[in-house]
Amino acid sequence: MSQEIPFADAAIYRLNDSLALVQSVDFFTPVVDDPYKYGQIAAANALSDLFAVGARPITALNLVSFPVGCLDADILVKILQGGAERVHAAGAVVAGGHSIEDDEPKYGLSVTGLVDPGKMVTTCGCQPGDQIYLTKPLGTGLLTTALKGEILTEADISVAIKGMVMLNKAAAEVMLEVGVSACTDITGFGFIGHASEMAEASRVGIKIFVNDLPAYPHALEMAEMGLVPAGSHRNREFYFHNLAGHESCDPLYLDLLSDAQTSGGLLIAVAKEKAELLEQRLTDRAVPVYRVGEVIPGPAGRLLLET
Ligand code: CO
């Protein structure tokens, strides 16, 4: 019998007892000017939902909108080359795709992977006492908005670009080796959204160590200038009821918590006795690792901000 499994970032379809198909899709308008890097970021972002459940990507299909005749075709070639480079780095192949003519370029991928349902990591396994780790800093929404507004240059946000290009592959491999309680990836709903969804799915609360939240260079400066993108405002409004302790929290950190991320890191819950091992193995694989919280008994979905 095939069965749908809820509580994960991607769509998961059980093929048999030891194999499930994992699918996800994402695409967006350019977040950086460099077309190759845009392609890389879009691919790393699309693949991220597969890594969040511990799946191995196998195939990817390109989704392209492009203003033919308005922009140089070479730009499109570079976008696709960047995407293909990341897909190959993930161990998968680009198996085809579809393109349409559009006023504004858009690019992304539909990605497919495989996972052993018994080893799959979901969002619903957090246990009180688990340590919460994040594998990339926050602030890409603030920074790409500043880039679009020509307040910062690509050189200014090079650390964040490198972070967005980075696959969550090594982080996912370490997470499977060590054995963790739960995982999600931080993307459009921001830290606040994805963390509260994971807490909700696990019927627990999460205490957030606000002062330990990592931010990319210049992200907090941009928040201070009020350059908060619309998506981040929406995240804050939508998930605000889940927050406790926000009265004593620096408003800039509330902006960071709500910031919509592109190709963000994994948010991993791990048993306290395995936390050190996870940190060590992530560091050995050159994956950034930040301890940003701890699972508390409840209320379900609650994020308790500790400053
Ligand atoms: Co996700």
Side-chain angles (χ1 to χ4, degrees), residues 24 49 139 189 216 274 279:
S24 189
D49 276 344
F189 299 129
Y216 282 120
K274 289 183 182 171
E279 269 188 57

Side-chain angles (χ1 to χ4, degrees), residues 42-250:
N45 181 77
L47 289 159
S48 182
D49 276 344
L50 267 51
F51 292 128
V53 298
R56 181 171 58 86
I58 51 171
T59 57
L61 302 171
N62 286 321
L63 300 161
V64 182
S65 294
F66 198 75
V68 185
C70 189
L71 281 180
D72 191 339
D74 189 46
I75 292 173
L76 178 56
V77 171
K78 290 209 171 85
I79 293 170
L80 296 176
Q81 282 173 344
E85 186 279 329
R86 289 287 82 185
V87 169
H88 293 155
V93 291
V94 177
H98 182 67
S99 60
I100 60 163
E101 208 171 329
D102 194 0
D103 293 340
E104 194 177 15
K106 296 175 191 77
Y107 175 61
L109 305 95
S110 159
V111 292
T112 300
L114 296 171
V115 71
D116 177 341
K119 293 184 183 141
M120 182 175 76
V121 182
T122 68
T123 55
C124 53
C126 295
Q127 297 293 328
D130 281 356
Q131 303 296 295
I132 300 285
Y133 286 93
L134 179 64
T135 66
K136 289 183 189 179
L138 302 167
T140 66
L142 289 156
L143 294 173
T144 55
T145 301
L147 182 69
K148 276 193 189 122
E150 297 181 354
I151 290 154
L152 294 175
T153 64
E154 264 184 20
D156 293 330
I157 69 161
S158 61
V159 177
I161 292 176
K162 213 174 144 204
M164 289 188 281
V165 166
M166 183 180 169
L167 295 174
N168 285 327
K169 181 174 191 276
E173 286 167 4
V174 169
M175 152 178 112
L176 290 178
E177 276 166 36
V178 172
V180 302
S181 304
C183 179
T184 189
D185 63 331
I186 307 293
T187 50
F189 299 129
F191 187 99
I192 188 178
H194 295 282
S196 52
E197 299 277 348
M198 187 162 86
E200 183 103 31
S202 298
R203 312 306 299 163
V204 296
I206 297 177
K207 189 196 284 178
I208 309 294
F209 309 140
V210 175
N211 298 323
D212 297 337
L213 287 171
Y216 282 120
H218 305 299
L220 289 168
E221 286 163 47
M222 296 305 110
E224 194 151 22
M225 288 171 70
L227 278 180
V228 177
S232 305
H233 270 301
R234 281 195 296 274
N235 290 339
R236 186 163 165 166
E237 272 168 36
F238 192 79
Y239 292 103
F240 198 75
H241 69 278
N242 287 331
L243 294 184
H246 49 83
E247 306 81 3
S248 52
C249 178
D250 183 340

